[in-house]
């Protein structure tokens, strides 16, 4: 039987409906969630991503403020601007669009953003919190994957999970978040010997490598849940994930499509983090 298709667009839409209610409740208390987006330089892909985030904010009622800064900006100027935004009560989330120009010290940028406004979840405090269970904001893409699994009533506890990809923004936090939910997790990366030896054991396989067709049917177990985080542009301009969707969907029990699976959830979780930040700030202000 072909796999059930996990519809990320449907869950994103349902969650965004709930956000409107939360934003109205904040509005009644005189609070509008505010997101500052810093776009440095003129990378066209970054401009597209920022455009999507701004549009998604507007659709639910989050005030977003995009600041386009020149690629030539100095570290000191950029850090200074972040410090100002940290102190601005109208701003609940600060997002610095990655990648940054080579001369910018990314680690310092991410650590300068207040952990309380770090809606991307990249600050060391929030990264460390993934290990200890005290994170304020989880990184949006893996957080979206967890929400998809919950929405589909896919059990995580005690399951064998294999995460293919070990980046700081997807693979590693994904593994930690699933471990925190009592899965048994293996992490694979480019130097893993015999990837299939691991993937075949997975009850839940999460793939975030950025390699088209990396996962083919022989590599998965019958009935596995397959989450494809990959977004790859093919020479013909089409978008594809890391999984051979046609083949794998004949063997998996559930699978995310690309596009329409994990992608819509990433921006949705950014909205969730921003609203939650406004709710936290308001609750602190009241006490
Ligand atoms: P990244 O920083 O390039 O990391 C890729 C990871 O995959 C690395 O850990 C790398 O291993 C591993 N890898 C590469 N080739 C591999 C192979 N042949 N076998 C096993 N592992 C391999 O990428 P990323 O930022 O994590 O993104 C991964 C993919 O997800 C990309 O396609 C990206 O566009 C997509 N993405 C999607 C969303 C979304 O919203 N859907 C969000 C973010 C990213 P090493 O560590 O050994 O180099």
């Amino acid at each position: 039987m072909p796999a059930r298709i996990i519809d990320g667009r449907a869950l994103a839409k349902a969650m965004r409906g709930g956000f409107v209610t939360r934003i109205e409740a904040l509005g009644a208390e005189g609070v509008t969630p505010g997101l500052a987006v810093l776009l440095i330089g003129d990378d066209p892909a970054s401009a597209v991503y920022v455009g999507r985030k701004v549009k998604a904010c507007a659709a639910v009622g989050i005030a977003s403020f995009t600041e386009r800064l020149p690629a030539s900006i100095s570290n000191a100027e950029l850090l200074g601007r972040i410090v100002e935004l940290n102190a601005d009560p109208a701003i609940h989330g600060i997002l610095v669009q990655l990648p940054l120009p080579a001369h910018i010290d990314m680690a310092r940028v991410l650590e300068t953003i207040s952990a309380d406004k770090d809606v991307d979840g990249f600050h060391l405090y929030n990264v460390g919190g993934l290990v200890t269970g005290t994170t304020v904001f989880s990184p949006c893409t893996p957080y979206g994957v967890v929400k998809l699994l919950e929405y589909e009533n896919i059990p995580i506890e005690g399951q064998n999970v294999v995460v293919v990809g070990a980046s700081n923004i997807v693979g590693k936090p994904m593994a930690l978040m699933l471990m925190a939910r009592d899965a048994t997790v293996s992490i694979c990366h480019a130097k893993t010997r015999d990837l299939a030896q691991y993937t075949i054991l997975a009850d839940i396989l999460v793939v975030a490598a950025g390699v088209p067709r990396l996962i083919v049917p022989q590599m998965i177990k019958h009935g596995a849940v397959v989450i494809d985080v990959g977004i790859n542009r093919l020479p013909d301009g089409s978008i594809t994930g890391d999984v051979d969707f046609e083949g794998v969907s004949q063997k998996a029990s559930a699978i995310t499509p690309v596009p329409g699976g994990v992608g819509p959830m990433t921006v949705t979780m950014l909205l969730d983090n921003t609203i939650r930040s406004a709710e936290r700030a308001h609750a602190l202000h009241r006490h």
Side-chain angles (χ1 to χ4, degrees):
M1 203 171 64
R4 182 167 88 245
I5 309 296
I6 301 176
D7 187 348
R9 285 196 185 111
L11 176 57
K13 194 168 168 221
M15 287 190 72
R16 291 180 197 197
F19 294 165
V20 173
T21 315
R22 284 163 67 191
I23 289 171
E24 280 169 2
L26 283 167
E29 307 262 326
V31 177
T32 303
L35 175 69
V37 182
L38 303 187
L39 177 57
I40 296 122
D42 40 31
D43 175 47
S46 292
V48 170
Y49 291 136
V50 165
R52 280 192 201 140
K53 292 169 188 175
V54 166
K55 208 171 137 200
C57 282
V60 295
I62 294 173
S64 73
F65 307 90
T66 304
E67 295 187 23
R68 285 179 166 268
L69 301 167
S72 59
I73 192 167
S74 69
N75 277 280
E77 281 173 295
L78 179 55
L79 297 179
R81 185 62 194 123
I82 292 170
V83 169
E84 284 169 6
L85 290 167
N86 282 343
D88 184 342
I91 298 298
H92 303 97
I94 303 171
L95 182 156
V96 178
Q97 184 66 38
L98 303 179
L100 293 170
H103 70 279
I104 298 288
D105 182 347
M106 183 179 75
R108 273 201 76 193
V109 167
L110 298 181
E111 282 156 45
T112 301
I113 297 171
S114 160
D116 288 318
K117 297 191 178 187
D118 172 40
V119 288
D120 253 343
F122 295 158
H123 187 284
L124 276 184
Y125 177 87
N126 283 316
V127 175
L130 289 175
V131 177
T132 57
T134 50
T135 286
V136 181
F137 299 112
S138 299
C140 300
T141 300
Y143 186 21
V145 171
V146 168
K147 286 285 169 193
L148 277 175
L149 294 172
E150 287 174 358
Y151 174 68
E152 292 286 325
N153 290 315
I154 293 164
I156 299 173
E157 186 184 309
Q159 300 297 296
N160 285 343
V161 173
V162 176
V163 179
V164 180
S167 71
N168 288 343
I169 63 168
V170 188
K172 282 184 211 160
M174 181 81 261
L176 289 165
M177 290 173 80
L178 293 170
M179 214 164 86
R181 287 162 178 80
D182 295 322
T184 303
V185 181
S186 306
I187 311 178
C188 302
H189 45 76
K191 289 166 201 80
T192 297
R193 278 186 286 126
D194 192 1
L195 182 61
Q197 185 191 345
Y198 290 89
T199 58
I200 199 84
L201 294 177
D203 301 311
I204 301 172
L205 178 64
V206 183
V207 194
V211 181
R213 299 178 70 85
L214 179 64
I215 304 299
V216 292
Q218 307 85 282
M219 295 169 75
I220 74 149
K221 180 162 92 172
H222 273 287
V225 172
V226 179
I227 306 291
D228 190 353
V229 181
I231 302 178
N232 307 293
R233 191 172 284 279
L234 296 179
D236 69 2
S238 63
I239 299 286
T240 187
D242 290 351
V243 175
D244 164 16
F245 182 84
E246 294 304 321
V248 169
S249 60
Q250 297 306 314
K251 211 171 164 189
S253 60
I255 187 168
T256 57
V258 178
V262 176
M265 292 303 294
T266 296
V267 176
T268 303
M269 302 328 292
L270 171 69
L271 304 178
D272 184 50
N273 279 345
T274 305
I275 299 164
R276 203 150 47 79
S277 181
E279 290 167 344
R280 284 181 85 235
H282 184 55
L284 275 175
H285 182 71
R286 269 195 317 208
H287 291 113

